[in-house]
Amino acid sequence: MDDTYLGQLPSRRWRLPRAGFPVGDVADTMSIEELRARLPSLIDGHVVLPALVIKRSALTNNLGVMRMLTSQPGVSFAPHAKTTMAPQLMRLQLDAGACGVTVANVFQASVARLAGARQILIANEVVGDQDIGWLARMTRDETTTVTVQVDSPEAVATLDGGLDRARLGERQDVLIEVGHVGGRTGARDVKAALATADAIAGAVNLRLIGVATYEGVVGHDRETATLARVDDFLDGVKAITIRLAERASFDGLDRVLVSAGGTRFVDRVVERLAPGDWNGCEVNIIVRAGGYLTYGHEAGPNDTPFSTPRPFGQLIPVLELWAEVLSLPEAGLAIVGVGKRNVGDRPGAIVPTQIVQRGGAPGPTETMNAIAGQLTVTGLDDQHAYVTYRDMELRLGDLVGFSLPYPTTLDRWRVVPVVDERYQIVDAVATSFA
């Protein structure tokens, strides 16, 4: 019997009624195993709505795209788990070739271990005694390697002192985080990075193994000027790494780790930080993109990480949210049963893309009407979406399918069904947000 978290998850029972699970002649609870066996259809009225779903074919596509992008020599992939916080999806990425998992804090690292991750990067500073104590326990665990970031001599002293109190007895691997003025964490310049390296050299419990950064806060689009700023920033990170190597900060290492790469600029990271001319410094690039897996709707040329055609394809949207038309109170206005409680209140949180009329036979997606441009979400209440429509007829009970620009919507759902091309529910993914 598989007594791991993932091994037990299929038989875990979920209380009904629950979004995306069948209604009707079922018990008060249902397991994912039972859900798989029933193969209910999302669009034939047999499941509770509104329901967020994962499109299996899109998920497979995006896994393949990132696997190809990060397959060149000297490039590894440790996807950030903060977007999905789903051990099943973490495991899927590990099985697809990821070397490990990236997280933002100790709690998320503990979830990554449930997925079987044994190489974990906490792309953040760790300063609390309880969290540092957890790091010490993981360092003693020969099956798990956890790496953390530091960005100042003060951060070094805090981590080193905490590990002393935890009686670590071994050295904790750290990366110097490089940031920029006006950004978030990270040493702001060469001087600050060198001072941090000197502090690590004097620490009892730390070992410097590389450099980390996050280029995603440099810009939020892919205009030419923004890409130039991102490239300049990455070039600066490279120069700092070379400078540290010249000062013998990485002595004893066969290869220096350089970690970067959110989804928006992942192609720039792979290109600008590619192993090669590092002035004799051997490097391994660790890409951390996480949002690629549940990529958002219609990112467009100013957002997609692949603004030019690539031989390995493009990322495509994975998440859809389905809900019913509840009321038609005015001409050209439909009230649909989904709202801020389901998706948050960011502008453009949902985009109508499909409709299935009430009583329509379930079937392939070509039986659905493409409605982009005919329906527009003009507002959201807690449980209601205001949707204007034109050049079509809607009825109460019609189903509207929405794509989601923001994959962070997952943090509002505990278990998310997976659908095939016919919108049959073939699996479900459980999330583990704090």
Side-chain angles (χ1 to χ4, degrees), residues 88-165:
Q88 292 155 281
L89 297 182
M90 296 180 206
R91 184 71 253 170
L92 193 66
Q93 293 172 99
L94 291 167
D95 290 344
C99 68
V101 171
T102 299
V103 295
N105 52 48
V106 162
F107 166 74
Q108 292 181 6
S110 68
V111 176
R113 292 189 78 236
L114 294 178
R118 292 298 174 255
Q119 302 285 334
I120 300 173
L121 169 59
I122 299 180
N124 218 338
E125 281 61 35
V126 177
V127 298
D129 279 345
Q130 292 297 317
D131 290 350
I132 293 172
W134 183 89
L135 278 181
R137 291 194 295 276
M138 290 303 98
T139 302
R140 298 187 193 103
D141 181 353
E142 295 182 354
T143 68
T144 306
T145 299
V146 182
T147 303
V148 300
Q149 297 178 177
V150 290
D151 64 359
S152 66
E154 294 78 14
V156 170
T158 298
L159 181 58
D160 193 42
L163 292 172
D164 251 348
R165 291 187 291 276

Coordinates of all heavy atoms in Angstrom, one line a residue, residues 88-165:
Q88 N 0.0 17.1 -6.7 CA -0.1 16.3 -7.9 C 0.5 17.0 -9.1 O 1.2 16.3 -9.9 CB -1.6 16.0 -8.2 CG -2.3 15.2 -7.2 CD -3.8 15.4 -7.2 OE1 -4.2 16.4 -6.6 NE2 -4.5 14.6 -7.9
L89 N 0.4 18.3 -9.2 CA 1.0 19.0 -10.4 C 2.5 19.2 -10.2 O 3.2 19.2 -11.1 CB 0.3 20.4 -10.5 CG -1.2 20.4 -10.9 CD1 -1.7 21.8 -11.0 CD2 -1.5 19.5 -12.1
M90 N 2.9 19.3 -8.9 CA 4.4 19.3 -8.7 C 5.0 18.0 -9.1 O 6.0 17.9 -9.8 CB 4.6 19.5 -7.2 CG 4.2 20.9 -6.7 SD 4.6 21.0 -4.9 CE 3.4 22.2 -4.4
R91 N 4.3 16.9 -8.8 CA 4.8 15.6 -9.2 C 4.8 15.4 -10.7 O 5.7 14.8 -11.2 CB 3.9 14.5 -8.5 CG 4.3 13.1 -8.8 CD 5.6 12.7 -8.0 NE 6.7 12.6 -8.8 CZ 8.0 12.5 -8.3 NH1 8.2 12.5 -7.0 NH2 9.0 12.4 -9.1
L92 N 3.8 15.9 -11.3 CA 3.7 15.9 -12.8 C 4.9 16.6 -13.4 O 5.5 16.1 -14.4 CB 2.4 16.5 -13.2 CG 2.0 16.3 -14.7 CD1 1.6 14.9 -14.9 CD2 0.8 17.2 -15.0
Q93 N 5.3 17.7 -12.9 CA 6.5 18.4 -13.4 C 7.8 17.7 -13.1 O 8.7 17.7 -13.9 CB 6.5 19.8 -12.8 CG 5.3 20.7 -13.3 CD 5.2 22.0 -12.6 OE1 5.6 23.0 -13.1 NE2 4.6 22.0 -11.4
L94 N 7.9 17.1 -11.9 CA 9.1 16.3 -11.6 C 9.2 15.1 -12.6 O 10.3 14.8 -13.1 CB 9.0 15.9 -10.2 CG 9.2 16.9 -9.1 CD1 8.8 16.4 -7.7 CD2 10.6 17.5 -9.1
D95 N 8.1 14.5 -12.8 CA 8.1 13.3 -13.7 C 8.4 13.8 -15.2 O 8.9 13.0 -16.0 CB 6.7 12.6 -13.7 CG 6.5 11.9 -12.4 OD1 7.5 11.7 -11.6 OD2 5.3 11.5 -12.1
A96 N 8.2 15.0 -15.5 CA 8.4 15.6 -16.8 C 9.9 16.1 -17.0 O 10.2 16.7 -18.0 CB 7.4 16.7 -17.2
G97 N 10.7 15.9 -15.9 CA 12.1 16.3 -16.0 C 12.6 17.4 -15.1 O 13.8 17.7 -15.2
A98 N 11.7 18.0 -14.3 CA 12.1 19.1 -13.4 C 13.1 18.5 -12.4 O 12.9 17.4 -11.9 CB 10.9 19.7 -12.7
C99 N 14.2 19.3 -12.1 CA 15.2 18.8 -11.2 C 14.7 18.9 -9.7 O 15.3 18.3 -8.8 CB 16.5 19.5 -11.4 SG 16.5 21.3 -11.0
G100 N 13.8 19.8 -9.5 CA 13.3 20.1 -8.1 C 12.1 21.0 -8.2 O 11.5 21.2 -9.3
V101 N 11.8 21.6 -7.1 CA 10.7 22.5 -7.0 C 11.1 23.8 -6.3 O 11.9 23.8 -5.3 CB 9.5 21.9 -6.2 CG1 8.4 22.9 -5.9 CG2 8.9 20.7 -7.0
T102 N 10.6 25.0 -6.7 CA 10.9 26.3 -6.1 C 9.6 26.6 -5.3 O 8.5 26.4 -5.7 CB 11.1 27.3 -7.1 OG1 12.3 27.0 -7.9 CG2 11.4 28.7 -6.5
V103 N 9.8 27.3 -4.1 CA 8.8 27.7 -3.3 C 9.1 29.1 -2.7 O 10.3 29.5 -2.8 CB 8.5 26.7 -2.1 CG1 8.0 25.4 -2.7 CG2 9.7 26.5 -1.3
A104 N 8.2 29.7 -1.9 CA 8.4 31.0 -1.4 C 8.7 31.0 0.1 O 9.2 32.0 0.7 CB 7.2 31.9 -1.7
N105 N 8.4 29.9 0.8 CA 8.6 29.9 2.2 C 8.6 28.4 2.7 O 8.4 27.5 1.9 CB 7.5 30.7 2.9 CG 6.1 30.2 2.5 OD1 5.7 29.1 2.4 ND2 5.2 31.2 2.2
V106 N 8.8 28.3 4.0 CA 8.9 26.9 4.6 C 7.6 26.1 4.5 O 7.7 24.9 4.2 CB 9.4 27.1 6.1 CG1 9.2 25.8 6.8 CG2 10.9 27.4 6.1
F107 N 6.5 26.8 4.7 CA 5.2 26.0 4.5 C 5.1 25.4 3.1 O 4.8 24.2 3.0 CB 4.0 26.9 4.8 CG 2.7 26.3 4.3 CD1 2.1 25.3 5.0 CD2 2.1 26.7 3.1 CE1 1.0 24.7 4.6 CE2 1.0 26.1 2.7 CZ 0.4 25.1 3.4
Q108 N 5.4 26.2 2.1 CA 5.3 25.7 0.7 C 6.3 24.6 0.5 O 6.1 23.6 -0.2 CB 5.5 26.8 -0.3 CG 4.3 27.8 -0.3 CD 4.5 29.0 -1.3 OE1 5.5 29.0 -2.0 NE2 3.7 29.9 -1.2
A109 N 7.5 24.7 1.1 CA 8.5 23.7 1.0 C 8.0 22.4 1.6 O 8.3 21.3 1.0 CB 9.8 24.1 1.7
S110 N 7.3 22.4 2.7 CA 6.7 21.2 3.3 C 5.7 20.5 2.4 O 5.6 19.3 2.3 CB 6.1 21.5 4.6 OG 4.9 22.3 4.5
V111 N 4.9 21.4 1.6 CA 4.0 20.8 0.6 C 4.7 20.2 -0.5 O 4.4 19.1 -1.0 CB 3.0 21.9 0.1 CG1 2.1 21.4 -1.0 CG2 2.2 22.4 1.3
A112 N 5.8 20.8 -1.0 CA 6.6 20.2 -2.1 C 7.2 18.9 -1.7 O 7.3 18.0 -2.5 CB 7.8 21.2 -2.4
R113 N 7.5 18.7 -0.4 CA 8.0 17.3 0.0 C 6.9 16.3 -0.1 O 7.2 15.1 -0.3 CB 8.5 17.4 1.4 CG 9.8 18.2 1.6 CD 10.4 18.1 3.0 NE 11.1 16.8 3.1 CZ 10.9 15.9 4.1 NH1 9.9 16.1 4.9 NH2 11.6 14.8 4.1
L114 N 5.6 16.7 0.1 CA 4.5 15.8 -0.1 C 4.4 15.3 -1.5 O 4.0 14.1 -1.8 CB 3.1 16.4 0.2 CG 2.9 16.9 1.7 CD1 1.6 17.6 1.8 CD2 3.0 15.7 2.6
A115 N 4.9 16.1 -2.5 CA 4.9 15.7 -3.9 C 6.1 14.8 -4.2 O 6.3 14.3 -5.3 CB 5.0 16.9 -4.8
G116 N 7.0 14.6 -3.2 CA 8.2 13.8 -3.5 C 9.4 14.6 -3.9 O 10.4 14.1 -4.3
A117 N 9.3 16.0 -3.9 CA 10.5 16.8 -4.2 C 11.6 16.6 -3.2 O 11.4 16.7 -2.0 CB 10.1 18.3 -4.3
R118 N 12.8 16.4 -3.7 CA 13.9 16.2 -2.9 C 15.0 17.3 -3.1 O 16.0 17.4 -2.4 CB 14.6 14.8 -3.1 CG 13.6 13.7 -2.6 CD 13.4 13.8 -1.1 NE 12.4 12.9 -0.6 CZ 11.2 13.2 -0.2 NH1 10.7 14.4 -0.4 NH2 10.3 12.3 0.2
Q119 N 14.8 18.1 -4.1 CA 15.6 19.3 -4.3 C 14.6 20.5 -4.3 O 13.8 20.7 -5.1 CB 16.3 19.3 -5.7 CG 17.2 18.1 -5.9 CD 18.5 18.2 -5.1 OE1 19.0 19.3 -4.8 NE2 19.1 17.1 -4.8
I120 N 14.8 21.3 -3.2 CA 13.8 22.4 -3.0 C 14.6 23.7 -2.9 O 15.5 23.8 -2.1 CB 13.0 22.2 -1.7 CG1 12.2 20.9 -1.9 CG2 12.0 23.3 -1.5 CD1 11.5 20.5 -0.6
L121 N 14.2 24.7 -3.6 CA 14.7 26.1 -3.5 C 13.7 27.0 -2.9 O 12.6 27.2 -3.5 CB 15.1 26.6 -4.9 CG 15.5 28.0 -5.1 CD1 16.7 28.4 -4.2 CD2 15.8 28.4 -6.5
I122 N 14.0 27.6 -1.8 CA 13.2 28.6 -1.2 C 13.7 29.9 -1.8 O 14.8 30.4 -1.4 CB 13.2 28.6 0.3 CG1 12.7 27.3 0.8 CG2 12.4 29.8 0.9 CD1 12.7 27.2 2.4
A123 N 13.0 30.5 -2.8 CA 13.5 31.7 -3.5 C 13.1 32.9 -2.6 O 12.3 33.8 -3.1 CB 12.9 31.8 -4.9
N124 N 13.7 33.0 -1.4 CA 13.3 34.0 -0.5 C 14.3 34.0 0.7 O 15.0 33.0 0.8 CB 11.9 33.8 0.0 CG 11.1 35.2 0.2 OD1 11.8 36.2 0.3 ND2 9.8 35.1 0.2
E125 N 14.2 35.0 1.5 CA 15.0 35.0 2.8 C 14.2 34.2 3.8 O 13.0 34.3 3.8 CB 15.2 36.4 3.2 CG 16.4 37.1 2.5 CD 16.1 37.3 1.0 OE1 15.0 37.5 0.6 OE2 17.1 37.2 0.3
V126 N 14.9 33.6 4.7 CA 14.3 32.8 5.8 C 14.9 33.4 7.1 O 16.1 33.4 7.3 CB 14.6 31.3 5.8 CG1 14.0 30.6 7.0 CG2 14.0 30.7 4.5
V127 N 14.0 34.0 8.0 CA 14.5 34.8 9.1 C 13.9 34.3 10.5 O 14.5 34.6 11.5 CB 14.3 36.3 8.9 CG1 15.0 36.8 7.7 CG2 12.8 36.6 8.8
G128 N 12.8 33.7 10.5 CA 12.2 33.3 11.7 C 12.8 32.0 12.3 O 13.2 31.1 11.6
D129 N 12.9 32.0 13.7 CA 13.6 30.9 14.3 C 12.9 29.5 14.0 O 13.6 28.5 13.9 CB 13.6 31.1 15.8 CG 14.8 32.0 16.3 OD1 15.7 32.2 15.4 OD2 14.7 32.5 17.4
Q130 N 11.5 29.5 14.0 CA 10.8 28.3 13.7 C 11.2 27.8 12.3 O 11.4 26.6 12.1 CB 9.3 28.5 13.9 CG 8.9 28.7 15.3 CD 9.2 27.5 16.2 OE1 9.0 26.4 15.8 NE2 9.7 27.8 17.4
D131 N 11.2 28.7 11.3 CA 11.5 28.3 10.0 C 12.9 27.9 9.8 O 13.2 26.9 9.1 CB 11.2 29.5 9.0 CG 9.7 29.8 8.9 OD1 8.9 29.0 9.4 OD2 9.4 30.9 8.3
I132 N 13.8 28.6 10.5 CA 15.2 28.2 10.5 C 15.4 26.8 11.1 O 16.2 26.0 10.6 CB 16.1 29.2 11.1 CG1 16.1 30.5 10.3 CG2 17.5 28.7 11.3 CD1 16.8 31.7 11.0
G133 N 14.7 26.5 12.2 CA 14.7 25.2 12.8 C 14.3 24.1 11.8 O 14.8 23.0 11.8
W134 N 13.2 24.4 11.0 CA 12.8 23.4 10.0 C 13.9 23.2 9.0 O 14.2 22.1 8.6 CB 11.5 23.9 9.3 CG 11.0 23.0 8.3 CD1 10.1 22.0 8.6 CD2 11.3 22.9 6.9 NE1 9.8 21.3 7.4 CE2 10.5 21.9 6.4 CE3 12.1 23.6 6.1 CZ2 10.5 21.5 5.0 CZ3 12.1 23.3 4.7 CH2 11.3 22.2 4.2
L135 N 14.6 24.3 8.6 CA 15.7 24.1 7.6 C 16.8 23.2 8.2 O 17.3 22.4 7.5 CB 16.4 25.5 7.4 CG 15.7 26.4 6.3 CD1 16.5 27.7 6.2 CD2 15.6 25.7 5.0
A136 N 17.1 23.4 9.5 CA 18.1 22.6 10.1 C 17.7 21.1 10.1 O 18.5 20.2 9.8 CB 18.3 23.0 11.6
R137 N 16.4 20.8 10.3 CA 16.0 19.4 10.3 C 16.1 18.9 8.8 O 16.5 17.7 8.6 CB 14.5 19.3 10.7 CG 14.4 19.6 12.2 CD 13.0 19.2 12.7 NE 11.9 19.9 12.1 CZ 11.5 21.1 12.6 NH1 12.1 21.7 13.6 NH2 10.5 21.7 12.0
M138 N 15.8 19.7 7.8 CA 15.9 19.2 6.5 C 17.4 19.0 6.1 O 17.7 18.1 5.3 CB 15.3 20.2 5.5 CG 13.8 20.3 5.6 SD 12.9 18.7 5.3 CE 12.6 18.2 7.0
T139 N 18.2 19.8 6.6 CA 19.7 19.6 6.3 C 20.2 18.3 6.8 O 21.0 17.7 6.2 CB 20.5 20.8 6.8 OG1 20.0 22.0 6.2 CG2 22.0 20.7 6.5
R140 N 19.6 17.9 8.0 CA 20.0 16.6 8.6 C 19.4 15.4 7.8 O 19.9 14.3 7.9 CB 19.6 16.6 10.0 CG 20.3 17.6 10.9 CD 20.0 17.4 12.4 NE 20.3 18.5 13.2 CZ 19.5 19.4 13.7 NH1 18.2 19.3 13.4 NH2 19.9 20.4 14.4
D141 N 18.4 15.7 7.0 CA 17.7 14.7 6.3 C 18.4 14.4 5.0 O 18.4 15.3 4.1 CB 16.2 15.1 6.0 CG 15.4 14.0 5.2 OD1 16.0 13.0 4.8 OD2 14.2 14.3 5.0
E142 N 19.1 13.3 4.9 CA 19.9 13.1 3.7 C 19.1 12.9 2.4 O 19.7 12.9 1.3 CB 20.8 11.8 3.9 CG 21.8 12.0 5.1 CD 22.6 10.8 5.3 OE1 22.4 9.7 4.6 OE2 23.6 10.8 6.1
T143 N 17.8 12.8 2.5 CA 17.0 12.6 1.3 C 16.5 13.9 0.7 O 16.0 13.9 -0.4 CB 15.7 11.8 1.6 OG1 14.9 12.5 2.5 CG2 16.1 10.4 2.3
T144 N 16.7 15.0 1.4 CA 16.2 16.3 0.9 C 17.3 17.4 1.0 O 18.0 17.5 2.0 CB 15.0 16.7 1.8 OG1 14.0 15.7 1.8 CG2 14.4 18.0 1.2
T145 N 17.4 18.2 -0.1 CA 18.3 19.3 -0.1 C 17.5 20.6 -0.3 O 16.7 20.7 -1.2 CB 19.3 19.2 -1.2 OG1 20.1 18.1 -1.0 CG2 20.2 20.4 -1.3
V146 N 17.6 21.5 0.7 CA 16.9 22.8 0.6 C 17.9 23.9 0.5 O 18.8 24.0 1.4 CB 16.0 23.0 1.9 CG1 15.2 24.3 1.8 CG2 15.0 21.8 2.0
T147 N 17.7 24.8 -0.5 CA 18.6 25.9 -0.6 C 17.8 27.2 -0.4 O 16.6 27.3 -0.8 CB 19.2 25.9 -2.1 OG1 19.9 24.7 -2.3 CG2 20.1 27.1 -2.3
V148 N 18.4 28.2 0.2 CA 17.7 29.4 0.5 C 18.5 30.6 0.0 O 19.7 30.5 -0.4 CB 17.4 29.6 2.0 CG1 16.5 28.5 2.5 CG2 18.7 29.7 2.8
Q149 N 17.9 31.8 0.1 CA 18.6 33.0 -0.4 C 18.9 34.0 0.8 O 18.2 34.0 1.8 CB 17.7 33.7 -1.4 CG 17.4 32.9 -2.7 CD 16.5 33.6 -3.7 OE1 16.2 33.0 -4.7 NE2 16.0 34.7 -3.3
V150 N 20.0 34.7 0.6 CA 20.3 35.8 1.5 C 20.7 37.0 0.7 O 21.2 36.9 -0.5 CB 21.5 35.4 2.4 CG1 21.1 34.4 3.5 CG2 22.7 34.9 1.6
D151 N 20.4 38.2 1.2 CA 20.7 39.4 0.4 C 21.5 40.5 1.1 O 21.6 41.6 0.6 CB 19.4 40.0 -0.2 CG 18.4 40.5 0.9 OD1 18.8 40.4 2.1 OD2 17.3 41.0 0.6
S152 N 22.0 40.2 2.3 CA 22.7 41.2 3.1 C 23.5 40.6 4.2 O 23.2 39.4 4.6 CB 21.7 42.2 3.7 OG 20.9 41.6 4.7
P153 N 24.5 41.3 4.7 CA 25.2 40.7 5.9 C 24.2 40.5 7.1 O 24.4 39.5 7.9 CB 26.2 41.8 6.2 CG 26.5 42.5 4.9 CD 25.2 42.5 4.2
E154 N 23.2 41.3 7.2 CA 22.2 41.1 8.3 C 21.5 39.8 8.1 O 21.2 39.1 9.1 CB 21.3 42.3 8.4 CG 21.9 43.6 8.8 CD 22.7 44.3 7.6 OE1 22.5 43.9 6.5 OE2 23.5 45.2 7.9
A155 N 21.1 39.6 6.9 CA 20.3 38.3 6.6 C 21.2 37.1 6.9 O 20.8 36.1 7.4 CB 19.9 38.3 5.2
V156 N 22.5 37.2 6.5 CA 23.5 36.2 6.8 C 23.6 35.9 8.3 O 23.5 34.8 8.8 CB 24.8 36.5 6.2 CG1 25.9 35.5 6.7 CG2 24.8 36.5 4.7
A157 N 23.7 37.0 9.1 CA 23.9 36.9 10.5 C 22.6 36.2 11.2 O 22.7 35.4 12.1 CB 24.2 38.2 11.2
T158 N 21.5 36.6 10.7 CA 20.2 36.1 11.2 C 20.1 34.6 10.9 O 19.8 33.8 11.9 CB 19.0 36.8 10.6 OG1 19.1 38.2 10.9 CG2 17.7 36.2 11.1
L159 N 20.4 34.2 9.7 CA 20.3 32.8 9.4 C 21.4 32.0 10.1 O 21.1 30.9 10.6 CB 20.4 32.6 7.9 CG 20.3 31.2 7.3 CD1 19.0 30.6 7.7 CD2 20.4 31.2 5.8
D160 N 22.6 32.5 10.1 CA 23.7 31.7 10.7 C 23.4 31.6 12.2 O 23.6 30.5 12.8 CB 25.0 32.5 10.5 CG 26.2 31.6 10.8 OD1 26.2 30.4 10.5 OD2 27.1 32.2 11.4
G161 N 22.9 32.7 12.9 CA 22.7 32.6 14.3 C 21.5 31.6 14.6 O 21.6 30.9 15.6
G162 N 20.5 31.6 13.8 CA 19.4 30.7 14.0 C 19.8 29.3 13.8 O 19.4 28.4 14.6
L163 N 20.6 29.0 12.9 CA 21.1 27.6 12.7 C 22.0 27.2 13.8 O 22.1 26.0 14.2 CB 21.9 27.5 11.4 CG 21.0 27.7 10.1 CD1 21.9 27.8 8.9 CD2 20.0 26.5 10.0
D164 N 22.8 28.2 14.4 CA 23.6 27.9 15.6 C 22.7 27.4 16.7 O 22.9 26.4 17.4 CB 24.3 29.1 16.0 CG 25.8 29.0 15.8 OD1 26.3 27.9 15.5 OD2 26.5 30.0 15.9
R165 N 21.6 28.2 17.0 CA 20.6 27.8 18.0 C 20.0 26.5 17.8 O 19.6 25.8 18.7 CB 19.6 28.9 18.2 CG 20.2 30.2 18.8 CD 19.1 31.2 19.1 NE 18.5 31.8 17.9 CZ 19.0 32.8 17.2 NH1 20.1 33.4 17.6 NH2 18.3 33.3 16.2

